Amino acid sequence: MTTRKKVEPDLARLDRVVADARRARDEREQSYRGQALKLFPWICGRCAREFDHTNVQELTVHHKNHNHDHNPPDGSNWELLCLYCHDNEHQRQLEHSGSADIRGERARNSTHMPFADLAALLRKEE
Ligand SMILES: [Zn+2]
Ligand SMILES: [Zn+2]
């Protein structure tokens, strides 16, 4: 019983790391999304659907080179896509290059949270 303590993960610390990672990702995503929405007309680059303040949350920023850390301020790596076209875009990519990109880029818009899974997994070990 007492020897287990050593191998238990520090959950408070893990929670903090997870929270920090989420916040950093949210802040980064907020900032490039805000820039992209200022730079481009609110129109989906695939289906040409138009957006306004009532539904702009369905307009997402796609990274042309699929690297969401590559955010040049001139917007050359961004493309505004509606949720549906964005999904389609990544479906095509998934067939070629695995799922790492869509998880990183779309994490905020989906219910899949890799860090939450990790925390849950570690808790099971208690
Ligand atoms: Zn579209
Ligand atoms: Zn994308």
Side-chain angles (χ1 to χ4, degrees):
M1 273 307 242
T2 48
T3 53
R4 284 210 59 197
K5 204 161 178 91
K6 270 181 200 161
V7 294
E8 275 172 21
D10 183 343
L11 288 176
R13 188 176 163 277
L14 179 69
D15 284 347
R16 210 157 50 234
V17 169
V18 169
D20 284 351
R22 281 211 191 106
R23 196 174 330 113
R25 185 191 61 203
D26 283 357
E27 280 168 10
R28 184 183 59 196
E29 189 158 316
Q30 282 306 325
S31 83
Y32 71 61
R33 190 168 184 274
Q35 290 174 62
L37 289 176
K38 266 183 234 160
L39 220 59
F40 301 118
W42 293 2
I43 296 170
C44 173
R46 288 287 180 285
C47 68
R49 186 178 158 199
E50 289 181 40
F51 290 83
D52 57 33
H53 282 99
T54 64
N55 59 1
V56 70
Q57 69 275 4
E58 291 172 40
L59 192 60
T60 59
V61 179
H62 172 62
H63 292 78
K64 289 179 182 176
N65 71 355
H66 289 254
N67 177 0
H68 57 264
D69 290 317
H70 184 63
N71 293 302
D74 66 353
S76 56
N77 192 36
W78 301 328
E79 187 173 23
L80 294 179
L81 297 178
C82 76
L83 287 173
Y84 309 100
C85 294
H86 202 167
D87 274 342
N88 288 339
E89 183 68 24
H90 282 268
Q91 284 303 318
R92 288 198 286 125
Q93 280 297 319
L94 286 179
E95 286 153 29
H96 303 294
S97 64
S99 59
D101 167 67
I102 193 166
R103 266 194 265 118
E105 193 185 10
R106 293 291 310 282
R108 219 170 67 85
N109 293 325
S110 80
T111 52
H112 184 79
M113 293 185 288
F115 283 117
D117 292 348
L118 175 68
L121 227 102
L122 289 167
R123 283 204 179 85
K124 274 190 209 141
E125 301 293 325
E126 281 182 75

